Structures are given as C-alpha cells and as structure tokens.
C-alpha cells in the first residue's frame, strides 16, 4: 500500500512549482511590457527635443498610455509587477481548483495590408503570462510531432529557414509547378471540435491541466482561436497537423508558416492533388479558402522562357521575400515600405524644417555646418544598419571584427542574395537624396539664402565621393551615404560565419511588419 503522505507531498510540491513558474512568467511578461513603454517614453522625449530645436510652435509633449491600460489595471505592467506575488498565488489556486478562466481581453482592431481589419485580443498581462507558460510547456513536449516543413511558432524553426529551404529546392530546376492558397480568417474560423480531434488522435502529449487551460482560452465560442495569445500559436500548428501529413504522404514539397503555405513539385498531377488536399482541409477545419487572393496553381520558371501556361511566374512572394529559381530578393510591397520610410526621413529633416514659419536660424546650413543633413544621413544609416557605423561595417567586412549584432531593417532579410536588387536600391537612394537636396535648394533660394556650397554643389556623378570625403571637425565619413549593398554583403558574411539565428532580427518572425 502506497504512502498517502508521500502522494500528498508530491502534489503540494507540484503546486508550489507551478506557482513559482507562473510568478516567473508574470514578472517576465510585465517587465517586457514595461520596457516597451520606457522605450516609447524615451523616444518621445528625444523626438520632442529634436523638433523643438528645429521648429517653432512645437506642440507640447503628449505622453499617452495604451487604451487597454484604461480598460483594466492588470494591463498595466507597473501595477502587475507591484502585485505579482499576490496575482500568481490567486491564479495558481484557481488552476488547482479548476476555476481559472482568463479575463475578457481588450479587443483591438488593426488594419490588414490586404485590406479590411483584423481583431487582436489583448489579454491582461497575468493571463498572457499563463498562456505563454503553457505554450512553451506544450511546445517542449510536442514539437517533434510537427512536420519539419511547418516553420511557424517554434524555437527550432523560423521564417528564414523556410525561405532557405524553398530557395534551395527551386534553384535546382529551371521550371516547377507551384500552388499558393490564402485562407479567409484562419485564426477566427478554426473549429474547436476539429482541434480537439487532432489533439486526441495524433499522439500529442497533453496533461489534464494543460487541456483545461486550452479549453479555458477557447471557451468564448465554438469556433476560432484568439489572436494575441501564445497558446493559440501552438493550436494553429495542431490544426494544420493533418494537412501537413497528407502533403508529406503525397510526396509533395512545401513550406507552411501558420496559414501561409507554398507547395511545389515537378509533377502536374501531384500539384493538382495538392489542391484536393487543401480543399479537404478547408472543409474539415471550417476554414474558407480565399479564392480572390489565392494564386492557385502556377508554373514557376526562369524569366523569358517559353511556356504552355498563359501566365507563368518568374518568382513567388512568401514571408516578406521574393523567390525565383535564380535568387532571393525583397518582395515588392516591402521594398515600397522601405522607400517610403527613407523618403519620410528625408522630408522630415531636410524639407519640413525650412517650410515652417518662422524658420529657426539654426536650420539654415552653412559651409561649415549642416546639422539637418548629418541627422538625415545618420537616421537613414540607423534605419538600414541598426547601431552599426560605416567604420564598424568596413572592419567587419575586412575581417577585423569577427561578429556583429544586426538590428536595422535589413536584418529582416538576411537571406537576400539578389545583388542587382541591392544595387538598384542604392541607385534609388542616391537619386532620392539628390532630388531632395535640389528641392531644399529651391526653398532656400526662394528665401534669398546662399546655396553655393556643400551639399548643394554636388552632382549625380560626384555625390557619393563628395559625401564620403566631407570633413566634419577633422573627421571623414560622417556624411557617407549608407548602402544597401554594403549591409547586404555584411549579412551574407554573417550568415555564413554565424548562422541565420545569430544574424536575423529577432522580430523578423513577425514578418508582416515589413
């Protein structure tokens, strides 16, 4: 006969471990939220000081708090950190007694790039921490069950692994059949009974407590998993388990990131079979295929080749990248976003300050000083490179430095190898800077201000060298125009020497940002 006290002690020890784990998760979640707010506050202060030095009649600094903080104090990280132990103890007791349910989230509507809006559920920080803790527990036990071609929401796969695998496959052929399908409201349409069947039928390791937590977050309705909570990320992969398995059983190659899936094969009959599998999954899981946004079956081939298809493709766009049988580039919409941001930096620093009335004297450039132009070049460099200087980049490329931390926008695209695209972007950047300087010159001339000195005397043929060689307080290179090609070459070197994980921007898993 077993010792009842030993059993009781084990359960008590388990409960204490859970309470400690939940407390740690709550503190981590709240500290992340608090750090984001501190960064926002610091940026707001820096931006206000900068505007005050450039412009007149600058409105007073307005510090805002997220709307959800007004909804409930448990969205406020400073309140949660102050009461973390009490909150963790209460949640642990509720989980133990099976009375825990997450509080109603704050619903936030954000615009989708494809049009319309997406509803994000912003859970209170303690509930978000519980979701995150159980997500990591479930993933740790079950990630081996997921397909190696499922790249989303895992710590052993990421966006860039998918791109690397797709590119490697496509580069081995001059033409191949591709299937691309888009789902309507993927997260909001998944049938709960379908998820439950997948969990029970496919050998997922889930404890009674974990099952209870899953059901607690799904209790709101019979369909859909809420956007904005970590446990939904695990469930999204569970929902696609059968889809992945059937594609594998058919011998199809594919890459899936959540509901974004691309399938390829040299066999036309198999690519047709892929459509049947996708269609069957759509009906079983309750998720509708968006036929208007789905390209369906296409022939991907080298540009310029003849084809029996009326409209063959020379590339596909997937997770922020543009992939062809020849190389990897940045997708068109992301390139437009990058250009838009750089154009904004040029306008904000070089044109807007001298369009205000009255103009501050400090905003007028002189042969010895052009603070606004220096700020512009620095901000463009920071946008592309992160915190890397031209000198640091040069030393990395010549082998003086063996590793760097990449944080600029280009770190979202560590696998780009389309050198011609980088050169085209450099040409665009130089041309856009030159055009902005011409507009700036016209405005200054209309104010009867002299413009016979740098940078107004540069031309299209000498602008790169003139900016590079411009001396400021005895230092060269401060005005050097940043280069897509240079940061691309550094990223290429970093990926080869350090690997994708060490080079990519950690936020690039949220590929929709760019």
């Amino acid at each position: 006969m077993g010792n009842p006290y030993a059993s009781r002690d084990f359960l008590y020890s388990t409960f204490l471990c859970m309470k400690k784990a939940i407390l740690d998760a709550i503190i981590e979640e709240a500290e992340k939220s608090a750090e984001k707010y501190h960064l926002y506050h610091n940026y707001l202060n820096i931006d206000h000081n900068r505007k005050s030095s450039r412009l007149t009649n600058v409105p007073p600094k307005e510090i805002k708090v997220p709307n959800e903080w007004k909804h409930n104090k448990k969205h406020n990280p400073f309140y949660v950190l102050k009461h973390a132990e009490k909150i963790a103890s209460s949640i642990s007791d509720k989980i133990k007694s099976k009375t825990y349910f997450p509080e109603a989230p704050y619903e936030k509507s954000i615009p989708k790039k494809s049009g319309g809006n997406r509803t994000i559920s912003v859970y209170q920080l303690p509930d978000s921490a519980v979701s995150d803790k159980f997500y990591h527990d479930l993933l740790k036990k079950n990630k081996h069950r997921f397909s190696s071609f499922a790249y989303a929401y895992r710590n052993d796969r990421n966006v860039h692994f998918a791109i690397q695998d797709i590119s490697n496959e496509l580069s081995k052929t001059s033409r191949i059949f591709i299937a691309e399908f888009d789902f309507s409201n993927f997260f909001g349409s998944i049938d709960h009974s379908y998820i439950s069947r997948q969990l029970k039928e496919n050998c997922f390791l889930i404890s009674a407590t974990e099952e209870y937590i899953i059901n607690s977050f799904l209790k709101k309705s019979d369909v859909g998993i809420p956007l904005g909570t970590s446990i939904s990320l695990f469930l999204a992969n569970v929902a696609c388990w059968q889809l992945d398995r059937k594609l594998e059983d058919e011998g199809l190659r594919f890459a899936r990131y959540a509901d974004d899936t691309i399938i390829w094969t040299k066999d036309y009959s198999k690519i047709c079979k892929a459509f049947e599998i996708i269609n069957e999954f759509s009906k079983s899981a309750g998720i509708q295929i968006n036929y208007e946004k789905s390209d369906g079956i296409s022939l991907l081939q080298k540009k310029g080749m003849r084809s029996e298809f009326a409209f063959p493709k020379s590339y596909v766009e997937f997770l922020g990248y543009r992939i062809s049988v020849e190389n990897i580039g940045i997708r068109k919409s992301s390139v437009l976003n990058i250009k838009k941001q750089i154009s904004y930096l040029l306008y904000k620093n070089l044109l807007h300050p001298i369009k205000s009335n009255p103009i501050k004297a400090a905003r007028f450039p002189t042969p010895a000083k052009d603070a606004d132009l220096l700020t512009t070049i620095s901000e463009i460099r920071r946008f592309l490179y992160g915190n890397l200087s031209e000198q640091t980049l040069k030393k990395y490329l010549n082998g003086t430095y063996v590793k760097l931390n990449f944080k600029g926008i280009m770190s979202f695209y560590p696998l780009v190898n389309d050198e011609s695209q980088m050169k085209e972007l450099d040409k665009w950047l130089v041309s856009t800077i030159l055009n902005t300087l011409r507009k700036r010159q016209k405005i200054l001339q209309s104010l009867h201000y002299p413009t016979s000195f740098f940078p107004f005397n540069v031309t299209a043929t000498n602008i790169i060298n003139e900016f590079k060689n411009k001396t400021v307080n005895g230092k060269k290179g401060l005005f050097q125009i940043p280069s897509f090609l240079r940061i691309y070459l550094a990223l290429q070197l970093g990926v080869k020497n350090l690997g994708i994980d060490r080079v990519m921007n950690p936020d690039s898993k949220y590929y929709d940002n760019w």
Side-chain angles (χ1 to χ4, degrees):
M1 184 175 179
N3 185 344
Y5 295 103
S7 176
R8 186 178 63 188
D9 289 345
F10 173 77
L11 290 173
Y12 182 69
S13 176
T14 301
F15 172 70
L16 288 179
C17 287
M18 177 182 289
K19 181 179 176 181
K20 174 67 166 57
I22 288 174
L23 175 60
D24 290 345
I26 288 173
I27 291 173
E28 182 180 358
E29 193 75 17
E31 285 180 342
K32 284 192 295 185
S33 180
E35 183 181 5
K36 286 181 182 178
Y37 188 72
H38 283 312
L39 288 172
Y40 155 75
H41 190 279
N42 292 342
Y43 171 79
L44 194 68
N45 189 56
I46 292 169
D47 189 57
H48 183 266
N49 290 341
R50 185 179 292 143
K51 285 179 179 177
S52 298
S53 70
R54 297 177 184 173
L55 308 171
T56 55
N57 303 319
V58 176
K61 180 171 58 177
E62 183 182 4
I63 300 173
K64 298 180 180 180
V65 298
N67 289 332
E68 56 265 29
W69 290 20
K70 303 169 189 175
H71 180 253
N72 188 285
K73 58 190 175 183
K74 288 182 183 176
H75 286 289
N76 186 325
F78 304 105
Y79 172 87
V80 171
L81 285 170
K82 186 176 180 180
H83 300 87
E85 287 202 26
K86 184 178 178 181
I87 294 170
S89 181
S90 173
I91 289 176
S92 299
D93 288 338
K94 289 178 181 178
I95 291 175
K96 182 182 177 183
S97 62
K98 297 291 190 293
T99 58
Y100 168 78
F101 290 97
E103 298 293 333
Y106 177 79
E107 302 290 349
K108 183 181 290 187
S109 182
I110 61 172
K112 294 166 63 176
K113 287 188 178 182
S114 55
N117 293 303
R118 176 185 288 122
T119 299
I120 300 291
S121 299
V122 183
Y123 281 84
Q124 294 176 16
L125 290 172
D127 293 327
S128 183
V130 169
S131 174
D132 198 56
K133 178 242 186 299
F134 281 94
Y135 158 72
H136 282 101
D137 290 347
L138 288 163
L139 184 63
K140 185 177 180 180
K141 292 190 297 183
N142 293 288
K143 65 183 175 185
H144 67 284
R145 295 292 302 138
F146 295 124
S147 169
S148 60
F149 304 123
Y151 297 88
Y153 317 133
R154 302 169 62 170
N155 53 15
D156 61 339
R157 297 281 191 280
N158 62 51
V159 167
H160 309 294
F161 289 3
I163 300 301
Q164 188 179 44
D165 289 347
I166 295 169
S167 177
N168 180 60
E169 291 279 337
L170 300 188
S171 67
K172 294 177 180 177
T173 181
S174 57
R175 49 181 272 155
I176 198 165
F177 295 107
I178 297 282
E180 301 166 272
F181 292 96
D182 185 84
F183 292 103
S184 298
N185 191 22
F186 175 78
F187 278 84
S189 302
I190 299 174
D191 187 88
H192 290 182
S193 62
Y194 182 79
I195 292 176
S196 181
R197 289 199 305 274
Q198 300 311 304
L199 289 170
K200 291 175 181 176
E201 295 173 4
N202 298 311
C203 295
F204 287 104
L205 302 175
I206 299 179
S207 69
T209 300
E210 289 163 344
E211 185 177 2
Y212 170 74
I213 293 296
I214 288 173
N215 291 332
S216 295
F217 277 90
L218 295 182
K219 73 179 182 66
K220 188 176 176 182
S221 66
D222 293 329
V223 295
I225 53 180
L227 277 169
T229 176
S230 298
I231 210 161
S232 293
L233 309 181
F234 175 78
L235 296 177
N237 276 335
V238 168
C240 292
W241 193 90
Q242 279 288 352
L243 170 64
D244 296 343
R245 177 53 61 91
K246 288 182 178 180
L247 291 172
E248 287 178 332
D249 288 347
E250 199 60 39
L252 288 156
R253 301 290 289 174
F254 68 96
R256 183 180 62 77
Y257 193 93
D259 58 322
D260 288 292
T261 305
I262 183 170
I263 308 164
W264 62 90
T265 178
K266 294 179 181 178
D267 188 329
Y268 183 72
S269 62
K270 283 192 174 184
I271 206 69
C272 293
K273 182 65 177 178
F275 171 71
E276 294 177 19
I277 293 170
I278 290 282
N279 194 49
E280 181 184 339
F281 166 73
S282 169
K283 292 177 180 177
S284 300
I287 306 166
Q288 296 298 312
I289 299 172
N290 188 334
Y291 289 105
E292 288 185 6
K293 295 181 181 178
S294 297
D295 285 355
I297 296 172
S298 308
L299 178 64
L300 180 71
Q301 62 182 32
K302 286 186 178 181
K303 196 171 183 179
M305 285 183 65
R306 290 191 175 186
S307 170
E308 66 273 31
F309 274 51
F311 301 103
K313 288 186 171 185
S314 59
Y315 63 86
V316 291
E317 293 188 333
F318 191 64
L319 307 180
Y321 285 90
R322 185 207 65 211
I323 313 166
S324 71
V325 297
E326 297 162 313
N327 54 40
I328 306 171
I330 304 173
R331 72 179 178 186
K332 185 177 180 180
S333 61
S334 297
V335 168
L336 292 175
N337 285 337
I338 290 170
K339 288 182 175 181
K340 184 178 179 181
Q341 178 62 18
I342 291 174
S343 297
Y344 164 72
L345 294 176
L346 288 164
Y347 175 81
K348 180 188 77 168
N349 291 302
L350 297 181
L351 301 181
H352 185 239
I354 56 175
K355 284 186 172 182
S356 63
N357 190 20
I359 302 171
K360 285 196 172 185
R363 302 282 58 88
F364 288 105
T366 68
K369 184 179 179 181
D370 192 339
D372 287 342
L373 179 60
L374 186 58
T375 297
T376 304
I377 296 299
S378 298
E379 289 190 0
I380 293 173
R381 183 181 297 114
R382 194 178 302 117
F383 174 63
L384 294 181
Y385 299 0
N387 59 349
L388 303 179
S389 67
E390 294 290 352
Q391 188 68 13
T392 302
L393 209 59
K394 181 180 178 180
K395 288 183 177 181
Y396 182 68
L397 287 169
N398 68 24
T400 304
Y401 293 159
V402 295
K403 64 178 181 179
L404 289 180
N405 291 321
F406 297 93
K407 294 183 179 179
I409 189 62
M410 288 301 292
S411 65
F412 280 76
Y413 306 101
L415 292 180
V416 165
N417 59 16
D418 185 354
E419 195 165 305
S420 63
Q421 186 185 44
M422 299 300 101
K423 291 178 179 178
E424 285 297 319
L425 284 169
D426 276 349
K427 289 179 182 177
W428 171 86
L429 176 57
V430 171
S431 174
T432 304
I433 290 173
L434 190 62
N435 288 337
T436 305
L437 290 175
R438 295 291 177 260
K439 291 178 183 178
R440 188 182 186 216
Q441 185 178 30
K442 286 182 179 180
I443 295 173
L444 291 171
Q445 287 175 344
S446 71
L447 299 171
H448 308 292
Y449 192 81
T451 59
S452 58
F453 48 85
F454 177 89
F456 305 108
N457 58 0
V458 300
T459 65
T461 56
N462 70 8
I463 181 173
I464 294 176
N465 287 330
E466 288 291 323
F467 271 61
K468 182 179 180 180
N469 295 323
K470 175 66 176 176
T471 301
V472 181
N473 297 327
K475 293 182 180 180
K476 277 186 180 182
L478 295 179
F479 280 96
Q480 184 172 358
I481 297 174
S483 166
F484 286 88
L485 183 62
R486 278 197 297 278
I487 188 62
Y488 148 78
L489 292 172
L491 286 165
Q492 289 260 301
L493 183 61
V495 168
K496 288 178 182 176
N497 291 343
L498 304 172
I500 296 171
D501 280 335
R502 295 286 299 278
V503 172
M504 73 178 204
N505 190 306
D507 290 335
S508 60
K509 58 188 175 183
Y510 308 114
Y511 64 89
D512 228 15
N513 288 353
W514 287 96

